[in-house]
Amino acid sequence: MFDIILKRKERTNVLKGIKLRLYPNRTQQNQLEQMFGNDRFVWNQMLAMMNERYQNNKALPFLGKFKLNYLLKPLKKEYPFLKTSNSSSLQVVNEFLTQSWKNFFQDKTGQVGKPRFHSRKYLKKSYTGKSIIKTAGKRYLKIPKLGYVKTSKTGVLQNTKIKRYTVLLEPTGKYYLSLQAEIPEPEKYSLTGKRVGIDVGVADLAILSNGLKYPSFNSSYFEKKAKIWQKKYSRRRHLVKLLVLQDRNKRVLCPRSLESFTNWQKAQKSKAKYQAKAANQRRDYLHKLTTHLVKQYDVIAIEDLKTKNLQKNHHL
């Protein structure tokens, strides 16, 4: 009996996602741009090789991530700029690529297609690594290949073991560090003995069985701003494309490129900024609401209906 009580009191570790804001300097930003490009380059090189291998003989055995990792060493000799990236990040690229091929081969419905090549025009850039990240003070982290990078806070990383990290650049121009950390299991909330049923609606976000109503989150201000800048962005980009096409037709000696115009790029960042604000506020509202419900009730029952299907019915 005493052993059973001890086992119940033992706390296990759980995985938790932690997201921090990064403030890299200009040198580190240039280095991150190179590392983003290296991941994209390795993905495209490995994918081209696997596509050619699959087209030549479909009966050949599938190349796993470990076999692809052996090809990284000769690839680095041929392209020395790959050495600027963390070696674990390139291995993660091979892991993601093999998983994409497995999803393609295991899919029987035909909905999952073959992996596609990555474009440098994709706005959300990122790379994932499995190396050790160390805290250096309250506002600094030591990231492999980057050195000491200023961050928003490091207190949340106490008593954690980082399994995997992802450095990403949002379309708004902000850098973030997403961590998959192993933390001690948090203490459970005290039992209240209450039960509740939730009816998901269209006019109201949730209606409880005891009569309480939670209104839907209103982010109309930022959504209106995002729509305005979306129109500006589309209009400016269309005009720029016409100017670039005009230079090509006239065979100008030094034709202008799409990236040489900054007006549409400013509109793109403004559009992404307002979209991110609306999404962050909505996410914060939902997190606070769900946390409140979990603290108040032990059993929560939710109907199995899709709100999107309800919105399609104009009679509701």
Side-chain angles (χ1 to χ4, degrees):
M1 183 67 180
F2 184 70
D3 294 338
I4 297 175
I5 295 175
L6 286 179
K7 288 180 181 179
R8 288 179 179 176
K9 289 187 177 180
E10 287 181 358
R11 296 176 65 184
T12 58
N13 295 334
V14 295
L15 291 178
K16 180 182 179 181
I18 302 174
K19 192 173 183 180
L20 303 177
R21 175 82 182 273
L22 290 181
Y23 301 92
N25 54 34
R26 187 55 61 95
T27 304
Q28 292 170 341
Q29 290 179 12
N30 296 333
Q31 190 173 356
L32 282 171
E33 192 67 27
Q34 178 65 41
M35 296 171 76
F36 296 149
N38 290 347
D39 275 29
R40 181 180 63 249
F41 180 81
V42 171
W43 173 281
N44 292 338
Q45 289 288 323
M46 295 296 183
L47 180 58
M49 181 269 296
M50 297 182 76
N51 282 339
E52 185 177 358
R53 176 186 173 89
Y54 181 73
Q55 291 175 0
N56 292 337
N57 189 356
K58 294 184 179 181
L60 290 175
F62 177 75
L63 292 179
K65 59 181 180 180
F66 297 106
K67 293 183 179 180
L68 291 180
N69 290 339
Y70 283 117
L71 301 177
L72 289 177
K73 190 173 182 179
L75 196 65
K76 288 182 179 180
K77 289 184 178 180
E78 186 176 359
Y79 303 100
F81 59 84
L82 294 177
K83 296 180 181 179
T84 58
S85 290
N86 185 9
S87 59
S88 65
S89 67
L90 303 181
Q91 294 174 2
V92 172
V93 172
N94 291 335
E95 181 181 344
F96 290 161
L97 182 59
T98 53
Q99 186 61 43
S100 299
W101 276 102
K102 286 181 180 179
N103 295 338
F104 168 68
F105 287 122
Q106 294 176 359
D107 180 57
K108 298 181 180 180
T109 60
Q111 297 180 355
V112 180
K114 291 195 298 183
R116 298 181 180 180
F117 292 99
H118 288 177
S119 172
R120 66 178 62 188
K121 296 180 181 180
Y122 186 58
L123 294 177
K124 196 172 182 179
K125 304 175 183 178
S126 65
Y127 81 90
T128 303
K130 296 184 290 186
S131 302
I132 299 175
I133 293 181
K134 298 180 180 179
T135 59
K138 295 181 179 179
R139 296 291 300 274
Y140 284 90
L141 291 173
K142 188 177 181 182
I143 303 177
K145 293 293 185 178
L146 290 176
Y148 295 96
V149 184
K150 188 177 181 181
T151 182
S152 56
K153 51 188 175 180
T154 58
V156 293
L157 300 181
Q158 294 181 356
N159 301 326
T160 60
K161 183 179 180 182
I162 299 174
K163 293 290 187 179
R164 183 172 292 191
Y165 69 93
T166 301
V167 180
L168 58 129
L169 172 62
E170 296 283 350
T172 56
K174 297 179 181 179
Y175 292 86
Y176 289 95
L177 178 66
S178 181
L179 302 171
Q180 185 186 32
E182 189 179 82
I183 63 171
E185 185 179 4
E187 296 182 0
K188 298 181 180 179
Y189 298 128
S190 58
L191 298 178
T192 61
K194 297 180 181 179
R195 301 181 180 183
V196 70
I198 300 179
D199 179 20
V200 181
V202 178
D204 296 313
L205 177 62
I207 303 173
L208 306 187
S209 57
N210 54 15
L212 292 178
K213 294 183 179 180
Y214 292 96
S216 299
F217 177 72
N218 184 13
S219 60
S220 58
Y221 173 77
F222 294 115
E223 289 178 351
K224 287 180 181 178
K225 286 284 187 179
K227 288 181 180 179
I228 292 172
W229 281 102
Q230 175 68 49
K231 292 178 181 179
K232 291 182 179 181
Y233 163 72
S234 301
R235 183 166 57 251
R236 292 178 185 180
R237 185 174 172 84
H238 177 68
L239 293 176
V240 167
K241 284 185 176 181
L242 292 180
L243 292 175
V244 172
L245 185 63
Q246 186 178 2
D247 288 354
R248 291 179 181 176
N249 294 334
K250 291 184 178 179
R251 296 182 180 180
V252 181
L253 184 61
C254 296
R256 291 170 293 183
S257 63
L258 194 64
E259 288 75 16
S260 61
F261 296 89
T262 59
N263 202 19
W264 69 272
Q265 296 177 8
K266 292 179 182 178
Q268 186 182 52
K269 284 191 175 181
S270 298
K271 168 183 70 77
K273 180 182 69 173
Y274 286 112
Q275 288 176 345
K277 283 186 176 182
N280 291 337
Q281 285 192 350
R282 188 181 299 107
R283 190 182 301 112
D284 179 70
Y285 176 75
L286 293 176
H287 281 319
K288 289 179 179 178
L289 174 60
T290 52
T291 304
H292 173 73
L293 291 174
V294 170
K295 287 183 178 180
Q296 293 293 326
Y297 305 100
D298 295 343
V299 179
I300 301 175
I302 307 176
E303 62 176 350
D304 190 13
L305 289 177
K306 293 184 179 180
T307 311
K308 290 184 178 180
N309 295 339
L310 295 176
Q311 292 176 348
K312 292 179 182 180
N313 190 345
H314 301 289
H315 298 285
L316 295 176

